[in-house]
Amino acid sequence: NAGVTQTPKFQVLKTGQSMTLQCAQDMNHEYMSWYRQDPGMGLRLIHYSVGAGITDQGEVPNGYNVSRSTTEDFPLRLLSAAPSQTSVYFCASSYGGTGGRYEQYFGPGTRLTVT
Amino acid sequence: LAKTTQPISMDSYEGQEVNITCSHNNIATNDYITWYQQFPSQGPRFIIQGYKTKVTNEVASLFIPADRKSSTLSLPRVSLSDTAVYYCPLGAGNTGKLIFGQGTTLQVKP
């Protein structure tokens, strides 16, 4: 299993540009989430999904859109990039609530710089 | 889900046992407690989870008192490779949401 994969690894955008961060998992996990991590800070939840076709907002959703058309993929779209969105973005997946296994598996991250 | 509070940093020496505490005064009945380890330029890695009492796995133990308002991660005999940031996010079992606090930077010295 590849686990959770994220592309690209690095990205530089100009203010106002849009882009999509890709996330895929091959573990058949029901739950997927996006987090951002600013330098020296903890992770903050952007959006999450409990299954295909179901998404919801996290702590810091403004400026980001998500959709989940398949179990495997959970792309994050930046609508109009701003310097405040410069951060490292992590995608994570986990099993559904049954069975008591709550551990999340994180991808390697995408480092985004907005100039 | 509430944010958790941890000491910002801790120092230890190789071979010692390290205990990192986490405060979660507003934990809800359905919340569970998890701990993650993060190395620079990597995503967090799951260490251990628990709901109440004590849980032990091959790398750590987790102690949770009856009121569940705090938890303690115990790392036996740390080595230099345990130098990392440790987080104790609360999680909601029916959504997979995790809410992270600041984390504790553990520095292990030789």
PDB file of all heavy atoms in Angstrom, chain A residues 27-61:
ATOM      1  N   MET A  27      -6.217   2.739   1.164  1.00  0.00           N
ATOM      2  CA  MET A  27      -6.507   1.875   2.306  1.00  0.00           C
ATOM      3  C   MET A  27      -8.009   1.668   2.498  1.00  0.00           C
ATOM      4  O   MET A  27      -8.425   1.105   3.513  1.00  0.00           O
ATOM      5  CB  MET A  27      -5.884   2.480   3.564  1.00  0.00           C
ATOM      6  CG  MET A  27      -4.363   2.568   3.475  1.00  0.00           C
ATOM      7  SD  MET A  27      -3.601   3.475   4.844  1.00  0.00           S
ATOM      8  CE  MET A  27      -3.921   5.164   4.347  1.00  0.00           C
ATOM      9  N   ASN A  28      -8.812   2.172   1.570  1.00  0.00           N
ATOM     10  CA  ASN A  28     -10.267   2.058   1.652  1.00  0.00           C
ATOM     11  C   ASN A  28     -10.817   2.699   2.926  1.00  0.00           C
ATOM     12  O   ASN A  28     -11.788   2.207   3.508  1.00  0.00           O
ATOM     13  CB  ASN A  28     -10.717   0.588   1.558  1.00  0.00           C
ATOM     14  CG  ASN A  28     -12.156   0.454   1.098  1.00  0.00           C
ATOM     15  OD1 ASN A  28     -12.660   1.278   0.332  1.00  0.00           O
ATOM     16  ND2 ASN A  28     -12.825  -0.574   1.577  1.00  0.00           N
ATOM     17  N   HIS A  29     -10.188   3.791   3.341  1.00  0.00           N
ATOM     18  CA  HIS A  29     -10.654   4.498   4.534  1.00  0.00           C
ATOM     19  C   HIS A  29     -11.884   5.328   4.210  1.00  0.00           C
ATOM     20  O   HIS A  29     -11.979   5.954   3.161  1.00  0.00           O
ATOM     21  CB  HIS A  29      -9.555   5.425   5.055  1.00  0.00           C
ATOM     22  CG  HIS A  29      -8.460   4.695   5.763  1.00  0.00           C
ATOM     23  ND1 HIS A  29      -7.267   5.292   6.103  1.00  0.00           N
ATOM     24  CD2 HIS A  29      -8.380   3.423   6.216  1.00  0.00           C
ATOM     25  CE1 HIS A  29      -6.508   4.425   6.735  1.00  0.00           C
ATOM     26  NE2 HIS A  29      -7.157   3.278   6.795  1.00  0.00           N
ATOM     27  N   GLU A  30     -12.810   5.362   5.166  1.00  0.00           N
ATOM     28  CA  GLU A  30     -14.026   6.165   4.985  1.00  0.00           C
ATOM     29  C   GLU A  30     -13.751   7.649   5.210  1.00  0.00           C
ATOM     30  O   GLU A  30     -14.285   8.491   4.519  1.00  0.00           O
ATOM     31  CB  GLU A  30     -15.093   5.725   5.992  1.00  0.00           C
ATOM     32  CG  GLU A  30     -15.771   4.411   5.671  1.00  0.00           C
ATOM     33  CD  GLU A  30     -16.917   4.149   6.635  1.00  0.00           C
ATOM     34  OE1 GLU A  30     -17.934   4.865   6.560  1.00  0.00           O
ATOM     35  OE2 GLU A  30     -16.778   3.250   7.462  1.00  0.00           O
ATOM     36  N   TYR A  31     -12.945   7.950   6.227  1.00  0.00           N
ATOM     37  CA  TYR A  31     -12.775   9.341   6.645  1.00  0.00           C
ATOM     38  C   TYR A  31     -11.518   9.927   6.024  1.00  0.00           C
ATOM     39  O   TYR A  31     -10.463   9.294   6.005  1.00  0.00           O
ATOM     40  CB  TYR A  31     -12.657   9.436   8.170  1.00  0.00           C
ATOM     41  CG  TYR A  31     -13.860   8.999   8.960  1.00  0.00           C
ATOM     42  CD1 TYR A  31     -13.758   8.817  10.333  1.00  0.00           C
ATOM     43  CD2 TYR A  31     -15.089   8.772   8.363  1.00  0.00           C
ATOM     44  CE1 TYR A  31     -14.848   8.421  11.091  1.00  0.00           C
ATOM     45  CE2 TYR A  31     -16.186   8.373   9.109  1.00  0.00           C
ATOM     46  CZ  TYR A  31     -16.059   8.204  10.472  1.00  0.00           C
ATOM     47  OH  TYR A  31     -17.138   7.811  11.224  1.00  0.00           O
ATOM     48  N   MET A  32     -11.631  11.187   5.570  1.00  0.00           N
ATOM     49  CA  MET A  32     -10.475  11.923   5.085  1.00  0.00           C
ATOM     50  C   MET A  32     -10.572  13.368   5.544  1.00  0.00           C
ATOM     51  O   MET A  32     -11.671  13.903   5.719  1.00  0.00           O
ATOM     52  CB  MET A  32     -10.379  11.849   3.551  1.00  0.00           C
ATOM     53  CG  MET A  32     -10.137  10.436   3.026  1.00  0.00           C
ATOM     54  SD  MET A  32      -9.834  10.345   1.262  1.00  0.00           S
ATOM     55  CE  MET A  32      -8.144  10.970   1.155  1.00  0.00           C
ATOM     56  N   SER A  33      -9.410  13.990   5.731  1.00  0.00           N
ATOM     57  CA  SER A  33      -9.365  15.353   6.262  1.00  0.00           C
ATOM     58  C   SER A  33      -8.215  16.127   5.634  1.00  0.00           C
ATOM     59  O   SER A  33      -7.241  15.530   5.175  1.00  0.00           O
ATOM     60  CB  SER A  33      -9.147  15.334   7.778  1.00  0.00           C
ATOM     61  OG  SER A  33     -10.094  14.546   8.449  1.00  0.00           O
ATOM     62  N   TRP A  34      -8.354  17.446   5.645  1.00  0.00           N
ATOM     63  CA  TRP A  34      -7.278  18.355   5.263  1.00  0.00           C
ATOM     64  C   TRP A  34      -6.940  19.258   6.439  1.00  0.00           C
ATOM     65  O   TRP A  34      -7.840  19.811   7.098  1.00  0.00           O
ATOM     66  CB  TRP A  34      -7.698  19.235   4.088  1.00  0.00           C
ATOM     67  CG  TRP A  34      -7.512  18.610   2.746  1.00  0.00           C
ATOM     68  CD1 TRP A  34      -8.464  18.047   1.951  1.00  0.00           C
ATOM     69  CD2 TRP A  34      -6.275  18.485   2.036  1.00  0.00           C
ATOM     70  NE1 TRP A  34      -7.896  17.582   0.799  1.00  0.00           N
ATOM     71  CE2 TRP A  34      -6.559  17.842   0.818  1.00  0.00           C
ATOM     72  CE3 TRP A  34      -4.955  18.863   2.298  1.00  0.00           C
ATOM     73  CZ2 TRP A  34      -5.572  17.564  -0.131  1.00  0.00           C
ATOM     74  CZ3 TRP A  34      -3.982  18.583   1.365  1.00  0.00           C
ATOM     75  CH2 TRP A  34      -4.296  17.940   0.158  1.00  0.00           C
ATOM     76  N   TYR A  35      -5.629  19.424   6.671  1.00  0.00           N
ATOM     77  CA  TYR A  35      -5.126  20.300   7.723  1.00  0.00           C
ATOM     78  C   TYR A  35      -4.096  21.249   7.110  1.00  0.00           C
ATOM     79  O   TYR A  35      -3.454  20.937   6.113  1.00  0.00           O
ATOM     80  CB  TYR A  35      -4.426  19.491   8.818  1.00  0.00           C
ATOM     81  CG  TYR A  35      -5.289  18.494   9.539  1.00  0.00           C
ATOM     82  CD1 TYR A  35      -5.493  17.215   9.031  1.00  0.00           C
ATOM     83  CD2 TYR A  35      -5.909  18.818  10.739  1.00  0.00           C
ATOM     84  CE1 TYR A  35      -6.281  16.292   9.685  1.00  0.00           C
ATOM     85  CE2 TYR A  35      -6.696  17.896  11.420  1.00  0.00           C
ATOM     86  CZ  TYR A  35      -6.873  16.642  10.880  1.00  0.00           C
ATOM     87  OH  TYR A  35      -7.652  15.729  11.550  1.00  0.00           O
ATOM     88  N   ARG A  36      -3.911  22.372   7.749  1.00  0.00           N
ATOM     89  CA  ARG A  36      -2.804  23.236   7.428  1.00  0.00           C
ATOM     90  C   ARG A  36      -1.956  23.448   8.673  1.00  0.00           C
ATOM     91  O   ARG A  36      -2.478  23.435   9.807  1.00  0.00           O
ATOM     92  CB  ARG A  36      -3.264  24.593   6.866  1.00  0.00           C
ATOM     93  CG  ARG A  36      -4.117  25.427   7.769  1.00  0.00           C
ATOM     94  CD  ARG A  36      -4.433  26.776   7.149  1.00  0.00           C
ATOM     95  NE  ARG A  36      -3.256  27.666   7.151  1.00  0.00           N
ATOM     96  CZ  ARG A  36      -3.217  28.878   6.620  1.00  0.00           C
ATOM     97  NH1 ARG A  36      -4.285  29.363   6.005  1.00  0.00           N
ATOM     98  NH2 ARG A  36      -2.118  29.616   6.662  1.00  0.00           N
ATOM     99  N   GLN A  37      -0.657  23.620   8.462  1.00  0.00           N
ATOM    100  CA  GLN A  37       0.246  23.832   9.575  1.00  0.00           C
ATOM    101  C   GLN A  37       1.165  25.005   9.244  1.00  0.00           C
ATOM    102  O   GLN A  37       1.976  24.933   8.336  1.00  0.00           O
ATOM    103  CB  GLN A  37       1.085  22.585   9.871  1.00  0.00           C
ATOM    104  CG  GLN A  37       1.948  22.718  11.112  1.00  0.00           C
ATOM    105  CD  GLN A  37       2.627  21.410  11.498  1.00  0.00           C
ATOM    106  OE1 GLN A  37       3.009  20.615  10.656  1.00  0.00           O
ATOM    107  NE2 GLN A  37       2.792  21.185  12.796  1.00  0.00           N
ATOM    108  N   ASP A  38       1.012  26.074   9.991  1.00  0.00           N
ATOM    109  CA  ASP A  38       1.868  27.243   9.841  1.00  0.00           C
ATOM    110  C   ASP A  38       3.127  27.045  10.675  1.00  0.00           C
ATOM    111  O   ASP A  38       3.128  26.270  11.641  1.00  0.00           O
ATOM    112  CB  ASP A  38       1.119  28.495  10.266  1.00  0.00           C
ATOM    113  CG  ASP A  38      -0.122  28.734   9.412  1.00  0.00           C
ATOM    114  OD1 ASP A  38      -0.118  28.287   8.238  1.00  0.00           O
ATOM    115  OD2 ASP A  38      -1.086  29.309   9.908  1.00  0.00           O
ATOM    116  N   PRO A  39       4.209  27.750  10.354  1.00  0.00           N
ATOM    117  CA  PRO A  39       5.486  27.537  11.049  1.00  0.00           C
ATOM    118  C   PRO A  39       5.358  27.630  12.566  1.00  0.00           C
ATOM    119  O   PRO A  39       4.797  28.599  13.086  1.00  0.00           O
ATOM    120  CB  PRO A  39       6.370  28.659  10.491  1.00  0.00           C
ATOM    121  CG  PRO A  39       5.819  28.938   9.149  1.00  0.00           C
ATOM    122  CD  PRO A  39       4.327  28.735   9.262  1.00  0.00           C
ATOM    123  N   GLY A  40       5.859  26.619  13.264  1.00  0.00           N
ATOM    124  CA  GLY A  40       5.866  26.618  14.720  1.00  0.00           C
ATOM    125  C   GLY A  40       4.510  26.413  15.361  1.00  0.00           C
ATOM    126  O   GLY A  40       4.373  26.582  16.583  1.00  0.00           O
ATOM    127  N   MET A  41       3.519  26.056  14.574  1.00  0.00           N
ATOM    128  CA  MET A  41       2.159  25.917  15.098  1.00  0.00           C
ATOM    129  C   MET A  41       1.673  24.483  14.986  1.00  0.00           C
ATOM    130  O   MET A  41       2.256  23.658  14.282  1.00  0.00           O
ATOM    131  CB  MET A  41       1.209  26.830  14.308  1.00  0.00           C
ATOM    132  CG  MET A  41       1.623  28.275  14.264  1.00  0.00           C
ATOM    133  SD  MET A  41       1.446  29.068  15.861  1.00  0.00           S
ATOM    134  CE  MET A  41      -0.327  29.177  15.967  1.00  0.00           C
ATOM    135  N   GLY A  42       0.565  24.220  15.661  1.00  0.00           N
ATOM    136  CA  GLY A  42      -0.092  22.933  15.502  1.00  0.00           C
ATOM    137  C   GLY A  42      -0.913  22.900  14.225  1.00  0.00           C
ATOM    138  O   GLY A  42      -1.008  23.898  13.501  1.00  0.00           O
ATOM    139  N   LEU A  43      -1.502  21.753  13.939  1.00  0.00           N
ATOM    140  CA  LEU A  43      -2.312  21.604  12.738  1.00  0.00           C
ATOM    141  C   LEU A  43      -3.720  22.163  12.978  1.00  0.00           C
ATOM    142  O   LEU A  43      -4.260  22.029  14.078  1.00  0.00           O
ATOM    143  CB  LEU A  43      -2.423  20.128  12.349  1.00  0.00           C
ATOM    144  CG  LEU A  43      -1.206  19.490  11.720  1.00  0.00           C
ATOM    145  CD1 LEU A  43      -0.132  19.170  12.755  1.00  0.00           C
ATOM    146  CD2 LEU A  43      -1.581  18.226  10.965  1.00  0.00           C
ATOM    147  N   ARG A  44      -4.281  22.743  11.937  1.00  0.00           N
ATOM    148  CA  ARG A  44      -5.662  23.226  11.997  1.00  0.00           C
ATOM    149  C   ARG A  44      -6.495  22.565  10.909  1.00  0.00           C
ATOM    150  O   ARG A  44      -6.073  22.504   9.747  1.00  0.00           O
ATOM    151  CB  ARG A  44      -5.702  24.757  11.857  1.00  0.00           C
ATOM    152  CG  ARG A  44      -5.130  25.506  13.044  1.00  0.00           C
ATOM    153  CD  ARG A  44      -5.292  27.011  12.897  1.00  0.00           C
ATOM    154  NE  ARG A  44      -4.449  27.549  11.834  1.00  0.00           N
ATOM    155  CZ  ARG A  44      -4.509  28.795  11.402  1.00  0.00           C
ATOM    156  NH1 ARG A  44      -5.402  29.627  11.911  1.00  0.00           N
ATOM    157  NH2 ARG A  44      -3.696  29.211  10.443  1.00  0.00           N
ATOM    158  N   LEU A  45      -7.653  22.124  11.273  1.00  0.00           N
ATOM    159  CA  LEU A  45      -8.525  21.375  10.377  1.00  0.00           C
ATOM    160  C   LEU A  45      -9.227  22.319   9.407  1.00  0.00           C
ATOM    161  O   LEU A  45      -9.875  23.281   9.828  1.00  0.00           O
ATOM    162  CB  LEU A  45      -9.552  20.599  11.201  1.00  0.00           C
ATOM    163  CG  LEU A  45     -10.558  19.749  10.450  1.00  0.00           C
ATOM    164  CD1 LEU A  45      -9.862  18.597   9.723  1.00  0.00           C
ATOM    165  CD2 LEU A  45     -11.603  19.195  11.418  1.00  0.00           C
ATOM    166  N   ILE A  46      -9.124  22.032   8.101  1.00  0.00           N
ATOM    167  CA  ILE A  46      -9.738  22.878   7.084  1.00  0.00           C
ATOM    168  C   ILE A  46     -11.112  22.325   6.689  1.00  0.00           C
ATOM    169  O   ILE A  46     -12.135  22.994   6.816  1.00  0.00           O
ATOM    170  CB  ILE A  46      -8.850  22.975   5.833  1.00  0.00           C
ATOM    171  CG1 ILE A  46      -7.440  23.444   6.193  1.00  0.00           C
ATOM    172  CG2 ILE A  46      -9.480  23.924   4.797  1.00  0.00           C
ATOM    173  CD1 ILE A  46      -6.462  23.375   5.031  1.00  0.00           C
ATOM    174  N   HIS A  47     -11.135  21.112   6.160  1.00  0.00           N
ATOM    175  CA  HIS A  47     -12.365  20.420   5.781  1.00  0.00           C
ATOM    176  C   HIS A  47     -12.172  18.937   6.066  1.00  0.00           C
ATOM    177  O   HIS A  47     -11.051  18.446   6.118  1.00  0.00           O
ATOM    178  CB  HIS A  47     -12.661  20.587   4.283  1.00  0.00           C
ATOM    179  CG  HIS A  47     -13.173  21.928   3.881  1.00  0.00           C
ATOM    180  ND1 HIS A  47     -14.461  22.350   4.126  1.00  0.00           N
ATOM    181  CD2 HIS A  47     -12.561  22.942   3.227  1.00  0.00           C
ATOM    182  CE1 HIS A  47     -14.626  23.572   3.638  1.00  0.00           C
ATOM    183  NE2 HIS A  47     -13.487  23.949   3.092  1.00  0.00           N
ATOM    184  N   TYR A  48     -13.289  18.236   6.208  1.00  0.00           N
ATOM    185  CA  TYR A  48     -13.207  16.799   6.393  1.00  0.00           C
ATOM    186  C   TYR A  48     -14.375  16.116   5.695  1.00  0.00           C
ATOM    187  O   TYR A  48     -15.358  16.766   5.316  1.00  0.00           O
ATOM    188  CB  TYR A  48     -13.160  16.438   7.884  1.00  0.00           C
ATOM    189  CG  TYR A  48     -14.407  16.772   8.661  1.00  0.00           C
ATOM    190  CD1 TYR A  48     -15.364  15.805   8.938  1.00  0.00           C
ATOM    191  CD2 TYR A  48     -14.610  18.063   9.142  1.00  0.00           C
ATOM    192  CE1 TYR A  48     -16.502  16.116   9.654  1.00  0.00           C
ATOM    193  CE2 TYR A  48     -15.755  18.382   9.852  1.00  0.00           C
ATOM    194  CZ  TYR A  48     -16.692  17.410  10.122  1.00  0.00           C
ATOM    195  OH  TYR A  48     -17.825  17.721  10.822  1.00  0.00           O
ATOM    196  N   SER A  49     -14.233  14.804   5.531  1.00  0.00           N
ATOM    197  CA  SER A  49     -15.259  14.029   4.835  1.00  0.00           C
ATOM    198  C   SER A  49     -15.434  12.685   5.535  1.00  0.00           C
ATOM    199  O   SER A  49     -14.445  12.039   5.893  1.00  0.00           O
ATOM    200  CB  SER A  49     -14.851  13.804   3.378  1.00  0.00           C
ATOM    201  OG  SER A  49     -15.669  12.837   2.765  1.00  0.00           O
ATOM    202  N   VAL A  50     -16.681  12.276   5.715  1.00  0.00           N
ATOM    203  CA  VAL A  50     -16.945  10.976   6.353  1.00  0.00           C
ATOM    204  C   VAL A  50     -17.321   9.916   5.320  1.00  0.00           C
ATOM    205  O   VAL A  50     -17.666   8.789   5.695  1.00  0.00           O
ATOM    206  CB  VAL A  50     -18.033  11.082   7.434  1.00  0.00           C
ATOM    207  CG1 VAL A  50     -17.568  12.018   8.549  1.00  0.00           C
ATOM    208  CG2 VAL A  50     -19.351  11.553   6.849  1.00  0.00           C
ATOM    209  N   GLY A  51     -17.265  10.274   4.042  1.00  0.00           N
ATOM    210  CA  GLY A  51     -17.536   9.302   2.989  1.00  0.00           C
ATOM    211  C   GLY A  51     -17.740  10.017   1.668  1.00  0.00           C
ATOM    212  O   GLY A  51     -17.879  11.251   1.626  1.00  0.00           O
ATOM    213  N   ALA A  52     -17.770   9.254   0.584  1.00  0.00           N
ATOM    214  CA  ALA A  52     -17.963   9.835  -0.737  1.00  0.00           C
ATOM    215  C   ALA A  52     -19.257  10.636  -0.768  1.00  0.00           C
ATOM    216  O   ALA A  52     -20.304  10.163  -0.308  1.00  0.00           O
ATOM    217  CB  ALA A  52     -17.984   8.737  -1.789  1.00  0.00           C
ATOM    218  N   GLY A  53     -19.163  11.853  -1.267  1.00  0.00           N
ATOM    219  CA  GLY A  53     -20.310  12.732  -1.385  1.00  0.00           C
ATOM    220  C   GLY A  53     -20.654  13.521  -0.134  1.00  0.00           C
ATOM    221  O   GLY A  53     -21.592  14.329  -0.146  1.00  0.00           O
ATOM    222  N   ILE A  54     -19.896  13.327   0.948  1.00  0.00           N
ATOM    223  CA  ILE A  54     -20.196  14.003   2.218  1.00  0.00           C
ATOM    224  C   ILE A  54     -18.965  14.757   2.707  1.00  0.00           C
ATOM    225  O   ILE A  54     -17.921  14.154   2.963  1.00  0.00           O
ATOM    226  CB  ILE A  54     -20.612  12.994   3.304  1.00  0.00           C
ATOM    227  CG1 ILE A  54     -21.745  12.104   2.806  1.00  0.00           C
ATOM    228  CG2 ILE A  54     -21.016  13.722   4.578  1.00  0.00           C
ATOM    229  CD1 ILE A  54     -22.039  10.940   3.728  1.00  0.00           C
ATOM    230  N   THR A  55     -19.084  16.084   2.816  1.00  0.00           N
ATOM    231  CA  THR A  55     -17.988  16.887   3.335  1.00  0.00           C
ATOM    232  C   THR A  55     -18.530  17.898   4.328  1.00  0.00           C
ATOM    233  O   THR A  55     -19.733  18.206   4.331  1.00  0.00           O
ATOM    234  CB  THR A  55     -17.237  17.640   2.213  1.00  0.00           C
ATOM    235  OG1 THR A  55     -18.125  18.583   1.603  1.00  0.00           O
ATOM    236  CG2 THR A  55     -16.709  16.684   1.162  1.00  0.00           C
ATOM    237  N   ASP A  56     -17.655  18.434   5.148  1.00  0.00           N
ATOM    238  CA  ASP A  56     -18.067  19.441   6.120  1.00  0.00           C
ATOM    239  C   ASP A  56     -16.877  20.322   6.455  1.00  0.00           C
ATOM    240  O   ASP A  56     -15.723  19.974   6.175  1.00  0.00           O
ATOM    241  CB  ASP A  56     -18.626  18.795   7.385  1.00  0.00           C
ATOM    242  CG  ASP A  56     -19.598  19.711   8.117  1.00  0.00           C
ATOM    243  OD1 ASP A  56     -19.644  20.933   7.786  1.00  0.00           O
ATOM    244  OD2 ASP A  56     -20.292  19.230   9.017  1.00  0.00           O
ATOM    245  N   GLN A  57     -17.178  21.487   7.041  1.00  0.00           N
ATOM    246  CA  GLN A  57     -16.138  22.456   7.340  1.00  0.00           C
ATOM    247  C   GLN A  57     -15.460  22.143   8.658  1.00  0.00           C
ATOM    248  O   GLN A  57     -16.085  21.658   9.596  1.00  0.00           O
ATOM    249  CB  GLN A  57     -16.749  23.859   7.400  1.00  0.00           C
ATOM    250  CG  GLN A  57     -17.346  24.316   6.086  1.00  0.00           C
ATOM    251  CD  GLN A  57     -17.929  25.711   6.188  1.00  0.00           C
ATOM    252  OE1 GLN A  57     -18.080  26.254   7.280  1.00  0.00           O
ATOM    253  NE2 GLN A  57     -18.260  26.308   5.060  1.00  0.00           N
ATOM    254  N   GLY A  58     -14.171  22.493   8.715  1.00  0.00           N
ATOM    255  CA  GLY A  58     -13.415  22.378   9.950  1.00  0.00           C
ATOM    256  C   GLY A  58     -13.247  23.735  10.605  1.00  0.00           C
ATOM    257  O   GLY A  58     -14.132  24.579  10.564  1.00  0.00           O
ATOM    258  N   GLU A  59     -12.073  23.961  11.196  1.00  0.00           N
ATOM    259  CA  GLU A  59     -11.809  25.199  11.922  1.00  0.00           C
ATOM    260  C   GLU A  59     -11.562  26.406  11.023  1.00  0.00           C
ATOM    261  O   GLU A  59     -11.931  27.528  11.350  1.00  0.00           O
ATOM    262  CB  GLU A  59     -10.563  25.022  12.798  1.00  0.00           C
ATOM    263  CG  GLU A  59     -10.617  23.907  13.821  1.00  0.00           C
ATOM    264  CD  GLU A  59      -9.260  23.756  14.483  1.00  0.00           C
ATOM    265  OE1 GLU A  59      -9.009  24.470  15.484  1.00  0.00           O
ATOM    266  OE2 GLU A  59      -8.450  22.928  14.002  1.00  0.00           O
ATOM    267  N   VAL A  60     -10.888  26.184   9.893  1.00  0.00           N
ATOM    268  CA  VAL A  60     -10.461  27.295   9.035  1.00  0.00           C
ATOM    269  C   VAL A  60     -10.829  27.031   7.582  1.00  0.00           C
ATOM    270  O   VAL A  60      -9.966  26.888   6.718  1.00  0.00           O
ATOM    271  CB  VAL A  60      -8.931  27.543   9.194  1.00  0.00           C
ATOM    272  CG1 VAL A  60      -8.626  28.161  10.542  1.00  0.00           C
ATOM    273  CG2 VAL A  60      -8.155  26.248   8.994  1.00  0.00           C
ATOM    274  N   PRO A  61     -12.117  26.987   7.224  1.00  0.00           N
ATOM    275  CA  PRO A  61     -12.520  26.607   5.872  1.00  0.00           C
ATOM    276  C   PRO A  61     -12.482  27.718   4.826  1.00  0.00           C
ATOM    277  O   PRO A  61     -12.521  27.430   3.620  1.00  0.00           O
ATOM    278  CB  PRO A  61     -13.959  26.149   6.083  1.00  0.00           C
ATOM    279  CG  PRO A  61     -14.441  27.014   7.218  1.00  0.00           C
ATOM    280  CD  PRO A  61     -13.235  27.199   8.120  1.00  0.00           C
TER     281      PRO A  61
END
